[in-house]
Amino acid sequence: MLRHAIPPAARFSQIPNEILRHPHLNADAVRLLAWQLSLPDGVDEPLSRTAGRAGLGKLAFLRAKGQLKATGYVHEWREQVERGRWRTRQLVSNVPLSPAEAALVRSPEAGTARPGEATPADSATDGTPTDHAPGSTPGLPLPADPPLTNSTPAPAGTVPPTPAPPGAVPPTAVPPGAVRPGGVPPTADLPAAGGPMVRSVGRHPRKTSGGNTSHPPAPPEARRAVEDLTSLDPRLRMAPRAMFPELAGLAARWLAAGHSAESLRSAVARSLPARGEPVHHPGGLLRYILREVPPPSGPATPPPPVVATMRECTGPRHVQPMLFRPLADEELCGPCRTEHPTPPARSLGATLARTALRTATGT
């Protein structure tokens, strides 16, 4: 392996190797932390704004921030300020800090750092780091940087380390004053950033399966039902074909619960927005509709035939049977009631009484 590195003369930052080679920080976390540590003094920039400038999405930023908080490079506090408002106070450090050490750095009574100890970058509101060297005073010019080499001369009075035997794995370098998360001082066996580890994601599988393991194949009836849904409404024709296996799996649940393909189409048609309203995500809309499987309804009772509610007219004007739909208990159809109106009950009673008297008297 050949390497060609030219030491920069200006506009560079000193990032510990423990950050660049940390086994528990992915590339997004290292980029986010290195960007924060490279900001000049006095710049008030929260981690979220740095993630936006670095091109990190929301999920990638949350994952990187969680890794930095878990390893002790980032600490956060919620505090209430004037007028009852809340703000987030962030602390970014180039060495891992325990919660107790971070609290000492945050409080004004924490004092200055010990000589040779790395100074974390603190923000007044949302994680503003500084770029002054460890142990120096902010605002003063930085000393000249030594040449970038793989080895740093040991301070005066220190014993040079014993050379490791051939084939041994060298221990990870530990910066002065570095402390592992939890407040335990580092040792040669347990450095601050951890020893070399294997890849956390593992290797690629030797043999991949031929099918799609995320969505098992659905029955042909379910696939046909999903394909028919796209013809139900012109707005559903833009559903992505990549979602059809997932939609077919949901449709298979409907069919397994006792629904028919026609009832599935009816349920989707009832749940669609009104005509004229746009559907921006037709695939997501179908997935939302098919996610909940209602219990199948029993067979619908057919309505009684129309003839069953009709009655035959008893009037003398009809040669053939005449059926009509009565409103109450009448026995004559409308035309018969018009030709032979029913007399009022009072006059009918008087007529019957006179007929009875005439019959009795023989007149």
Side-chain angles (χ1 to χ4, degrees), residues 39-43 128-132 138-139:
L39 293 176
D41 191 10
V43 175
T128 303
T130 58
D131 62 348
H132 54 271

Side-chain angles (χ1 to χ4, degrees), residues 66 101-102 106-107 110 113 164 184 215 260 265 351 362:
E101 294 171 338
R106 174 198 177 193
S107 60
V184 182
H215 300 291
S260 62
R265 285 175 57 91
T351 303

Side-chain angles (χ1 to χ4, degrees), residues 345-361:
R346 185 174 181 180
S347 61
L348 182 62
T351 303
L352 293 177
R354 285 194 297 268
T355 303
L357 291 176
R358 290 172 183 174
T359 304
T361 57

